């Protein structure tokens, strides 16, 4: 994969078919820090929240800490419109019902989280679509999990990628993760729907 390196960051280019989950999985493989953070770049996840998310992992208190859009009233203002809030709450309830290990996460479908790299080592991730946090939670089974509230801001640019295709991918992925959470053996997601490939872990 082509990369652009500087003193401060590495820009990693991935194929479009990988979607967000595949891109994040590829990022895990090239990350070098002890704590790895995932967040959206459209500022709906405020950079000011990073300290609270990272600190418990950095101190060793938690192995994974996730942002929680539902911590207080108004925190979900970035979910524009009542229908998006309704869909978000319904999906969260469905995930908690079908995937017991996700119940440690107040916001299992969020995109802001920090994880210690040791949690990812040796685990084959098979992300599909945009819900990488749930994938990490089920496949890696971190021993300790924390939740940090933050204000999910309005989108400043671009538009949501949520559509019918992403909804179907989410339901398929959820079925696979629910089976994996129960310990069932399931067929892998076809490559055309999944990421560019399973990530062997952090290197």
């Amino acid at each position: 994969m082509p990369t652009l390196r500087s003193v401060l960051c590495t820009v990693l280019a991935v194929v479009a078919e990988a979607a967000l989950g595949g891109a994040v999985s590829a990022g895990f493989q090239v990350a070098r820090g002890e704590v790895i953070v995932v967040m959206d770049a459209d500022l709906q996840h405020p950079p000011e929240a990073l300290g609270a998310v990272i600190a418990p992992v950095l101190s060793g208190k938690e192995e994974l800490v996730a942002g929680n859009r539902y911590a207080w009233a108004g925190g979900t203002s970035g979910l524009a419109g009542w229908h998006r809030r309704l869909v978000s709450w319904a999906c969260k309830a469905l995930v908690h019902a079908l995937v017991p290990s996700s119940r440690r996460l107040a916001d299992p479908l969020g995109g802001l989280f920090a994880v210690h790299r040791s949690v990812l080592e040796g685990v084959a991730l098979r992300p599909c679509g945009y819900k990488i946090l749930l994938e990490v939670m089920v496949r890696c089974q971190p021993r300790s999990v924390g939740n940090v509230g933050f204000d999910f801001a309005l989108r400043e640019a671009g538009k949501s990628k949520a559509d019918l295709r992403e909804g179907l991918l989410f339901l398929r992925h959820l079925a696979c993760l629910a089976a994996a959470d129960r310990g069932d053996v399931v067929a892998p997601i076809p490559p055309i729907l999944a990421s560019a490939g399973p990530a062997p872990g952090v290197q």
Side-chain angles (χ1 to χ4, degrees):
M1 296 179 182
T3 61
L4 176 64
R5 295 184 181 275
S6 73
V7 175
L8 296 177
C9 67
T10 299
V11 178
L12 180 65
V14 297
V15 295
E17 289 79 4
L20 178 62
V24 171
S25 183
F28 287 161
Q29 296 181 53
V30 301
R32 293 292 180 263
E34 289 300 308
V35 178
I36 299 173
V37 180
V38 177
M39 69 181 297
D40 289 351
D42 59 6
L43 298 182
Q44 285 199 284
H45 298 146
E48 296 81 7
L50 285 177
V53 173
I54 295 171
V57 181
L58 198 60
S59 69
K61 180 182 178 182
E62 309 286 7
E63 287 192 333
L64 184 148
V65 174
N68 176 19
R69 296 169 291 179
Y70 307 100
W72 48 71
T76 57
S77 59
L79 295 172
W82 65 268
H83 57 289
R84 283 202 64 195
R85 289 187 177 89
L86 178 61
V87 169
S88 178
W89 279 95
C91 287
K92 181 181 75 164
L94 181 63
V95 168
H96 280 164
L98 297 180
V99 185
S101 67
S102 74
R103 296 168 193 165
R104 292 190 289 166
L105 294 170
D107 188 3
L109 301 177
L112 172 63
F113 66 96
V115 60
H116 196 277
R117 66 180 296 158
S118 62
V119 174
L120 302 167
E121 288 176 342
V123 178
L125 297 177
R126 295 183 287 275
C128 174
Y130 293 84
K131 304 307 177 185
I132 185 66
L133 172 59
L134 186 59
E135 172 78 16
V136 169
M137 192 69 186
V138 172
R139 307 286 187 197
C140 301
Q141 292 291 324
R143 290 173 296 180
S144 55
V145 174
N147 296 278
V148 172
F150 74 99
D151 289 318
F152 190 57
L154 291 170
R155 189 183 303 274
E156 296 292 337
K159 60 181 181 179
S160 173
K161 296 177 179 61
D163 56 19
L164 178 60
R165 180 179 183 275
E166 287 302 325
L168 294 175
L169 283 174
F170 164 68
L171 293 176
R172 182 182 178 87
H173 192 205
L174 180 58
C176 291
L177 291 179
D181 206 46
R182 295 192 304 267
D184 297 345
V185 177
V186 295
I189 298 172
I192 192 171
L193 298 180
S195 68
V202 176
Q203 300 176 350

